[in-house]
Amino acid sequence: MKFLAAAAALFLAAASPVSAATAKPDTRVVLPTDVRPDRYEIRVAPDPDRLTFDGHVKVELTVVRPTDRIVLNAQDLTLEKASLSGLAAAPRIEWNAEEQTAAFVFPQRLAPGRYTLDIDYKGRIFQSPAALFYLDYSAPDGGKRRGLYTQFQNSDARRFAPMWDEPGVRSVFSLTVDTPPGQMSVSNMPVASETPLEGGKRRVRFADSPKMSSYLLFMAMGDFERISQRVAGVDVGVVVRRGDTEKARYALDATVKLLPYFNDWFDTPYPLPKLDLIAGPGRSQFFAAMENWGAIFYFDYAILLDPKLSTETDRQYVFTTVAHEVSHQWFGNLVTMAWWDDLWLNESFASWMENKASDHFHPEWNLWLSTQAGQQGAMRLDSRAGTHPVITDIPDVFAAANAFDTITYQKGQAVVRMLESYVGEDAFRTGVRAYIRKHAYGNTVSDDLWAALDAAAPGKDVTGMAHDFLRQPGVPLIRAAPAGNGVRLSQERMAADPSQSAPQTWRTPVVVKGLAGGAWSGVVSAGRPQTAPVAAPAVVNAGQTGYFRTAYAPALWSKLAPQFGRLAPADQLGLLYDSRTLGEAGYAPMSDFLALARNTPADADPLVLDTLATQLSAVDALYSGRPGQARFRTFARARLVPILGRLGWDPKPGEPDNAAIARRTVLTTLGDFEDPMVIAEARRRFDRWLVEPESLQGAGRRTVLSIVAANADEATWEALRRQALASKDVTDRSRLLALLAGSDDPKLADRALALALSGDVSPSEAPTIIAAVAGNFPDKAYDFAIANRARVDELLEPTSRTSYYAELAQASREPAMLEKLGRFKATVPASARGEVEKAEGAIRYRLDVISRRLPETDGWLASNGR
């Protein structure tokens, strides 16, 4: 699943490793194992108008041990009738609402053997994107249409049919859908048969799936079209709303390239006869796409491209998102984690593989540079209160939902990349291939993968290193100090706040390269310093493949920093990120980052310039409403204006693809910093666009509208509102509405919040608007959402509600928010409170930086501001 991380999109003595043990089976809310499902036959008849469906499920099962009951998962279902083969009497049904189970209790114990359980039931079609849900949209003819889709990860298949809804239980699924005339139904497998029904309906039966986990089952139904191409013996298709086929060509082409690549990389052919990518209008607050086996679901913005509206960022995002989900067909679907505490086996690997595969086809994108932003978001969270191990306790479905976070995705993928770099690409691929072959159609735990990699890379102790980084939280800090003609390397724990002060150690692979030549690689751990025989100036973590921070002694920094322009772009990013983070945490002076910002050349790599702008923006956010902001913005504008002078407002022939990304970031950042010339030019282009809509397209359109919306007056805001509500493109409409919520004017922010629950926007648009307001006004957005909690809850996936409210508050700079979050935390399940603690940790850290580090920054700016 492609996760959306709001917070990440923004921003000793020797000791034995502290191992965070995974949840023991007797602490988990899990089903009994005395009955095993073998095959499901599910038939559903949806009624999209009434938002209900009739269902029947026949479960072929095996009783493994004598029992008087069959316990499975069921939620939000009405079970009308049940029977078991060989028994005349109907079972008694006992519900456990807290554990989301239904027990079918029989008058006598069932002997071991094969049985068939038949259940008639009714269910609901939801407006939030979980279980079976609907998405409404306007058709090209102006009429209203409704599409139905499913989303079962992590634990919502139980709201579609009674079943064993746990990742470690694999079964065959046969799905049948009663489909209205003129509509298409889609599932994991090809259509096996169609039977006419009264009123022009068709009973569409799909072929049996391979044995798979319940969360991978999928169904969609609506007024769809499909484009397709055959590759490597597989029917590859993209299913879209009628009229959108041209927008899907890019994604189809990407999939046609990626499928053979993964066949070769995994050395295992894709095992299903077809692979569909299904697009749906709207959005979720928490995911963009879902890897259902053979039927991957994407929201429109993650798969469709419109040449008049889409940007270079959109194109890269679509390709990498397709790569992420297609890679899951092996790592996650063919081989699945046994329980949610090993979720990283799915998501960290797919997050890493999306970049590896995309970089293979598009090296010009320099994606490994782009991924550093996500890794930095993980490291910032991982060095303060609220963090958790990548492999962490998952006692129930609420904790499972909250495991889909920056630590699992971004830290996990960074560790995977570090391990590949450490053992070598060939050995790493050999180990993964062996793992896939051995465990195909099965379930695994993390140590199964490490065993395969240890066998492929003898002497490397991959298991030990992986345990250090995945079974304990935290970020290593490598200190670099002069040692004769070399660099002495020692390790401690990076502590952004007192919660991270307990000593830990990691076996950390480190690479050091000297600018005058010479290189060293080795493993550094606490209590076992190393000396790299490399003369200064030298870069520690050269190439930035290691998951750690580097703190240079002043004598080394004074030689390295002036050479910033000579460094490789990856190392320039590493220095920018580390200097800001270490400055805020008090490990280094803030002036280290500010001096690098001042000396970054205007002709640096576009992604370095993009990062410079985002890092300056992050510091500016600390100043919000404070006296020093004007001086800081003067400094920041002086850094960015020369870069804009080189990039310009409009693309140049032959410029690299990433120049468009840097241009948009630099321009919107200058707009946020109230640069008068940028705002004036944006307004000029906006006024022309209102009269000549074709005058702005793609990235230029998105950039101008962003700047104008952020600096809007009431008349401009109203003009944008009219444009948004009149837009016929679902994705464009949603983006325009989010721009309305990005105004710097608190009165216009209030209007955006009112719009969210006015009924003028769709159920998927409303929470997006509230979250966009939180970008500038987190306290205002949080207070509004809590005041309307019952209404907002209905718009959100049930197990992810806690995350939504916590993330609204996370950017707050007000101590009072901590009290509010404390009250909120008391109202949520205990297993979900970690999400609130992440927000509390972020706020406490921010308040500390504001009180301790901004005065230091003010002092430096007073002397060096220009």
Side-chain angles (χ1 to χ4, degrees):
M1 182 162 67
K2 187 76 169 183
F3 164 69
L4 299 179
L10 304 171
F11 138 9
L12 300 96
S16 299
V18 180
S19 176
T22 56
K24 298 178 181 179
D26 60 0
T27 67
R28 296 173 179 162
V29 179
V30 295
L31 295 170
T33 58
D34 44 18
V35 179
R36 181 188 70 237
D38 301 311
R39 182 175 181 273
Y40 296 90
E41 287 186 16
I42 301 172
R43 185 179 73 247
V44 293
D47 186 335
D49 295 328
R50 295 178 180 272
L51 296 179
T52 61
F53 66 94
D54 293 332
H56 175 85
V57 60
K58 177 186 289 186
V59 189
E60 298 172 11
L61 55 85
T62 299
V63 174
V64 179
R65 292 182 297 274
T67 179
D68 68 344
R69 63 193 59 218
I70 298 173
V71 184
L72 43 66
N73 295 112
Q75 186 186 20
D76 293 323
L77 300 175
T78 301
L79 307 185
E80 297 190 320
K81 185 173 67 173
S83 62
L84 188 71
S85 59
L87 295 182
R92 185 177 78 255
I93 301 176
E94 294 181 355
W95 289 92
N96 185 324
E98 182 177 354
E99 297 188 1
Q100 301 177 358
T101 62
F104 297 85
V105 183
F106 301 94
Q108 65 275 344
R109 292 167 70 84
L110 303 174
R114 301 289 299 276
Y115 297 83
T116 299
L117 176 65
D118 280 271
I119 308 169
D120 290 329
Y121 65 97
K122 293 183 181 296
R124 294 168 53 196
I125 301 172
F126 297 88
Q127 69 174 355
S128 62
L132 177 58
F133 65 96
Y134 70 90
L135 295 171
D136 290 341
Y137 60 95
S138 297
D141 62 8
K144 296 296 183 181
R145 298 287 190 276
R146 173 167 289 174
L148 302 184
Y149 310 86
T150 59
Q151 166 61 22
F152 294 152
Q153 195 178 47
N154 55 292
S155 305
D156 284 311
R158 64 192 64 182
R159 302 165 77 196
F160 181 71
M163 65 177 70
W164 281 255
D165 193 16
E166 296 176 355
V169 181
R170 300 178 76 107
S171 305
V172 173
F173 288 86
S174 172
L175 180 65
T176 299
V177 182
D178 289 356
T179 306
Q183 295 199 6
M184 179 191 299
S185 289
V186 184
S187 189
N188 306 79
M189 299 295 288
V191 173
S193 66
E194 293 192 14
T195 305
L197 300 174
E198 291 184 3
K201 289 186 175 182
R202 298 160 0 262
R203 179 158 289 170
V204 180
R205 182 176 68 83
F206 296 94
D208 281 11
S209 76
K211 280 195 170 184
M212 65 184 191
S213 302
S214 57
Y215 74 88
L216 296 172
L217 181 63
F218 179 78
M219 186 212 98
M221 187 181 83
D223 184 19
F224 300 150
E225 292 182 286
R226 183 177 188 265
I227 58 173
S228 64
Q229 184 174 336
R230 197 160 191 85
V231 61
V234 178
D235 179 19
V236 176
V238 183
V239 178
V240 298
R241 292 171 289 125
R242 188 171 301 279
D244 275 351
T245 54
E246 288 307 308
K247 297 177 183 178
R249 298 285 175 188
Y250 181 85
L252 178 61
D253 179 66
T255 312
V256 167
K257 292 176 180 175
L258 288 161
L259 190 68
Y261 173 85
F262 288 132
N263 282 343
D264 176 70
W265 200 94
F266 289 110
D267 197 29
T268 299
Y270 175 77
L272 275 62
K274 66 97 173 173
L275 175 60
D276 278 331
L277 284 61
I278 299 94
R283 63 177 56 234
S284 161
Q285 296 305 300
F286 305 102
F287 75 99
M290 174 61 206
E291 66 265 19
N292 317 294
W293 210 354
I296 306 171
F297 174 78
Y298 299 79
F299 286 105
D300 279 0
Y301 70 88
I303 189 173
L304 303 183
L305 292 176
D306 184 328
K308 293 184 178 180
L309 301 174
S310 300
T311 68
E312 177 60 30
T313 301
D314 296 332
R315 281 184 284 276
Q316 294 187 17
Y317 183 73
V318 168
F319 197 99
T320 56
T321 303
V322 170
H324 181 107
E325 304 304 336
V326 175
S327 75
H328 266 312
Q329 306 303 296
W330 288 264
F331 229 97
N333 297 4
L334 183 60
V335 181
T336 310
M337 73 271 167
W339 182 248
W340 297 111
D341 48 16
D342 277 313
L343 173 67
W344 87 272
L345 275 172
N346 285 18
E347 300 302 346
S348 300
F349 195 93
S351 297
W352 169 78
M353 181 53 90
E354 74 177 62
N355 296 306
K356 189 169 187 68
S358 299
D359 184 65
H360 172 82
F361 290 104
H362 291 286
E364 72 278 9
W365 290 348
N366 290 324
L367 284 169
W368 292 119
L369 298 183
S370 302
T371 61
Q372 286 196 42
Q375 178 175 329
Q376 295 301 317
M379 292 174 80
R380 292 178 73 82
L381 169 58
D382 204 20
S383 57
R384 66 179 184 234
T387 189
H388 61 81
V390 173
I391 302 172
T392 192
D393 294 358
I394 304 292
D396 57 29
V397 297
F398 295 102
N402 296 325
F404 292 84
D405 71 352
T406 301
I407 296 295
T408 297
Y409 281 73
Q410 302 302 335
K411 178 179 180 177
Q413 76 93 13
V415 172
V416 171
R417 187 184 182 210
M418 179 178 70
L419 292 174
E420 186 207 30
S421 178
Y422 174 62
V423 305
E425 288 189 53
D426 291 343
F428 189 84
R429 184 175 61 237
T430 297
V432 172
R433 286 174 169 179
Y435 167 83
I436 291 289
R437 284 194 299 270
K438 181 176 181 179
H439 299 287
Y441 301 101
N443 296 81
T444 61
V445 296
S446 294
D447 281 355
D448 294 322
L449 176 60
W450 306 141
L453 290 173
D454 278 333
K460 291 289 190 176
D461 189 18
V462 177
T463 296
M465 187 174 290
H467 283 182
D468 287 355
F469 280 89
L470 300 178
R471 289 185 174 273
Q472 61 183 357
V475 179
L477 176 68
I478 302 296
R479 288 193 178 273
N485 291 324
V487 178
R488 184 179 187 274
L489 305 168
S490 60
Q491 184 196 96
E492 62 190 69
R493 185 178 185 177
M494 166 78 188
D497 62 34
S499 73
Q500 302 296 293
S501 59
Q504 288 182 185
T505 187
W506 298 260
R507 282 158 277 196
T508 306
V510 179
V511 176
V512 181
K513 286 188 178 180
L515 270 66
W520 175 89
S521 62
V523 176
V524 179
S525 57
R528 299 183 63 183
Q530 300 268 21
T531 298
V534 179
V539 177
V540 179
N541 198 15
Q544 305 300 308
T545 59
Y547 185 82
F548 60 87
R549 299 279 186 201
T550 303
Y552 294 89
L556 293 181
W557 182 259
S558 64
K559 293 181 179 180
L560 180 62
Q563 305 299 320
F564 183 79
R566 294 178 53 200
L567 302 181
D571 296 324
Q572 290 178 331
L573 292 181
L575 263 63
L576 282 171
Y577 284 127
D578 281 354
S579 61
R580 179 192 149 215
T581 299
L582 296 174
E584 289 181 350
Y587 286 92
M590 283 294 292
S591 59
D592 284 357
F593 166 71
L594 297 168
L596 286 183
R598 184 176 59 183
N599 296 325
T600 299
D603 62 351
D605 184 280
L607 293 180
V608 174
L609 301 177
D610 177 85
T611 298
L612 173 65
T614 60
Q615 295 302 292
L616 290 171
S617 182
V619 176
D620 181 72
L622 298 173
Y623 273 108
S624 181
R626 287 169 173 78
Q629 188 170 45
R631 175 174 282 166
F632 175 78
R633 286 187 169 181
T634 298
F635 167 80
R637 287 195 299 266
R639 312 283 75 75
L640 298 180
V641 167
I643 296 171
L644 175 58
R646 186 171 174 276
L647 292 171
W649 274 80
D650 302 304
K652 299 177 175 64
E655 71 178 14
D657 294 344
N658 289 336
I661 296 173
R663 176 181 296 109
R664 179 167 184 266
T665 303
V666 169
L667 278 168
T668 54
T669 303
L670 283 168
D672 291 339
F673 291 171
E674 299 178 328
D675 183 272
M677 294 182 67
V678 166
I679 294 172
E681 177 63 13
R683 285 174 173 161
R684 185 189 70 78
R685 293 179 179 226
F686 175 75
D687 289 341
R688 181 185 175 194
W689 174 72
L690 291 175
V691 180
E692 302 176 34
E694 297 297 315
S695 66
L696 286 179
Q697 295 188 4
R701 179 179 184 270
R702 192 96 50 90
T703 300
V704 166
L705 297 185
S706 296
I707 296 168
V708 168
N711 296 278
D713 55 21
E714 288 199 21
T716 303
W717 192 92
E718 185 58 34
L720 277 170
R721 186 189 72 84
R722 289 193 298 269
Q723 292 286 334
L725 297 181
S727 177
K728 301 299 182 185
D729 184 279
V730 174
T731 299
D732 185 52
R733 171 187 161 102
S734 178
R735 286 174 173 152
L736 290 173
L737 289 170
L739 290 179
L740 288 174
S743 171
D744 291 335
D745 186 331
K747 292 182 179 179
L748 295 179
D750 286 334
R751 290 188 63 184
L753 291 171
L755 176 64
L757 298 183
S758 67
D760 291 335
V761 301
S762 73
S764 71
E765 292 166 342
T768 301
I769 294 172
I770 299 171
V773 170
N776 288 325
F777 301 101
D779 302 82
K780 185 184 290 291
Y782 177 85
D783 290 346
F784 177 85
I786 290 295
N788 295 277
R789 187 172 175 181
R791 294 179 66 186
V792 174
D793 275 355
E794 286 299 311
L795 305 172
L796 304 171
E797 299 95 312
T799 54
S800 299
R801 289 167 182 163
T802 302
S803 299
Y804 179 78
Y805 293 104
E807 288 179 357
L808 291 179
Q810 189 158 308
S812 175
R813 296 168 291 274
E814 299 299 329
M817 180 57 75
L818 293 170
E819 298 178 12
K820 297 175 185 177
L821 284 173
R823 293 192 294 270
F824 172 69
K825 184 162 61 173
T827 70
V828 304
S831 59
R833 290 174 185 168
E835 293 303 294
V836 185
E837 289 163 4
K838 290 177 193 175
E840 291 173 327
I843 294 168
R844 289 193 178 97
Y845 174 71
R846 185 177 301 108
L847 292 172
D848 182 71
V849 172
I850 289 170
S851 65
R852 293 175 181 268
R853 304 301 164 206
L854 287 193
E856 176 191 341
T857 303
D858 290 336
W860 187 90
L861 289 172
S863 302
N864 303 273
R866 297 299 299 181

